[in-house]
Amino acid sequence: MPELPEVEHVVRALRSRIVARQIIAAEVRLPKLIAPHSPALFNRKLKGSIITGVSRRGKFILIEMENDRVLAVHLRMTGRLIWARDGGRESRAHLRAEFRLDRGKLSFFDTRRFGTLEWYRDRSEAEPAGIDPLSASLSESVLARLVRGSRQNIKAWLLRQDRLVGLGNIYASEILHLAGISPLREAGSLDERERRRLLGATRRVLSRAIGNSGTTFSDFQDARGLEGSYQHYLRVYAREGRPCRRCAEPVVREVQQQRSTFYCPRCQS
Ligand SMILES: [Zn+2]
């Protein structure tokens, strides 16, 4: 499932291709994508709009229009948002929506159909509840306030989307390993030094993953249809039984909230 770095990478690649382009037509082939709106209404709202920006809020891709309206795309499990020149001969299998632009086209493919397209009147409506972990407004004192009193384990806490947005299963394990914090610790029990390490590790892991175009296991592709390479640099995720990259102790897998957590019992005691 694409997490924050993969979404950020898609956003960066799209920005240079679709900003300042005009939408000529929007064709939604899977009506459930935009429910409760109808494909005809959707086309009417978008047709003729000039795209003024592409940004990311958590795992949402925000396509901003000149009239302040925002189209928010969530890739969920298997969504791919691909820009191509006209006349591309790529397969139309799993094509769920297509935006014909005055140059090229933007296609939304989704094998498992969990992705969503949402329409907002302005940007403030599209703001998620949690804080983006790469935002400058996330300081150690803000993090301290967010975790205060929480008895949830820190791994599950990182996955909540109402505190920090955009983290999923892969990067939560990676961040905790780099920070040297056990995934079993209660979030509210972290002291100031640990919170500072957690914040630093979060920024480092996410920035590196963005720099490597994200992590590709099965379905992730960026706006050019290319795959990420961060899977080659993973420290613990999906490495059960293999040596910890820091101390060589075998990496352990534990199930928390029905999701696998990978960690080193020595570095993260
Ligand atoms: Zn270790």
Side-chain angles (χ1 to χ4, degrees):
M1 183 192 296
E3 298 183 30
L4 186 154
E6 291 77 40
V7 175
E8 177 67 25
H9 187 69
V10 171
V11 163
R12 291 180 185 187
L14 280 179
R15 205 172 272 148
S16 60
R17 291 167 172 84
I18 67 168
V19 170
R21 302 269 62 92
Q22 186 175 34
I23 298 178
I24 305 297
E27 184 201 351
V28 176
R29 298 157 64 102
L30 180 69
K32 139 184 143 139
L33 256 183
I34 51 161
H37 304 294
S38 72
L41 177 72
F42 205 68
N43 180 44
R44 268 208 307 284
K45 283 186 182 228
L46 283 172
K47 201 173 164 177
S49 302
I50 308 265
I51 297 170
T52 53
V54 186
S55 58
R56 180 187 57 75
R57 283 291 174 278
K59 289 192 253 184
F60 282 94
I61 298 166
L62 304 185
I63 300 177
E64 298 151 23
M65 316 284 169
E66 56 191 329
N67 49 13
D68 283 345
R69 304 210 162 181
V70 175
L71 176 66
V73 181
H74 201 303
L75 305 173
R76 302 286 170 195
M77 306 283 288
T78 55
R80 288 172 296 137
L81 198 54
I82 309 268
W83 180 88
R85 282 177 210 288
D86 277 326
R89 275 188 289 162
E90 81 277 11
S91 156
R92 291 170 75 82
H94 310 303
L95 177 63
R96 308 301 181 203
E98 191 156 80
F99 302 88
R100 201 146 52 75
L101 309 177
D102 58 352
R103 195 184 72 197
K105 62 186 173 188
L106 187 60
S107 307
F108 182 69
F109 297 92
D110 193 6
T111 317
R112 294 187 60 186
R113 308 183 192 205
F114 291 117
T116 54
L117 302 182
E118 282 170 73
W119 178 257
Y120 294 103
R121 270 176 311 213
D122 63 52
R123 218 188 139 101
S124 62
E125 272 191 9
E127 290 290 330
I131 299 182
D132 195 289
L134 291 180
S135 131
S137 61
L138 181 63
S139 59
E140 193 277 320
S141 61
V142 169
L143 182 63
R145 181 168 52 76
L146 291 174
V147 296
R148 188 170 301 147
S150 173
R151 309 206 50 190
Q152 208 168 18
N153 66 65
I154 185 64
K155 159 75 184 328
W157 189 89
L158 287 173
L159 299 186
R160 298 174 63 137
Q161 300 296 308
D162 61 337
R163 295 293 189 272
L164 300 182
V165 281
L167 297 178
N169 216 33
I170 298 176
Y171 297 111
S173 285
E174 293 298 299
I175 288 165
L176 289 171
H177 183 262
L178 184 60
I181 294 171
S182 165
L184 311 174
R185 286 280 301 280
E186 280 183 10
S189 76
L190 300 182
D191 64 25
E192 192 184 329
R193 261 175 50 201
E194 290 169 320
R195 288 193 303 262
R196 209 175 294 134
R197 289 209 312 265
L198 181 66
L199 194 57
T202 300
R203 295 200 170 121
R204 259 184 24 230
V205 165
L206 295 177
S207 309
R208 271 189 216 158
I210 292 168
N212 286 284
S213 316
T215 304
T216 300
F217 281 101
S218 53
D219 290 294
F220 170 67
Q221 286 183 334
D222 75 5
R224 299 161 298 168
L226 302 178
E227 299 189 334
S229 60
Y230 194 69
Q231 60 274 22
H232 305 304
Y233 306 99
L234 292 172
R235 305 163 65 91
V236 282
Y237 185 82
R239 299 189 67 245
E240 184 183 11
R242 293 171 63 191
C244 166
R245 295 200 198 269
R246 188 188 285 152
C247 76
E249 183 90 359
V251 169
V252 166
R253 181 177 78 96
E254 183 143 343
V255 176
Q256 294 179 288
Q257 282 79 31
Q258 293 92 44
R259 316 271 317 261
S260 291
T261 299
F262 298 88
Y263 69 104
C264 169
R266 191 190 283 173
C267 296
Q268 297 170 264
S269 59

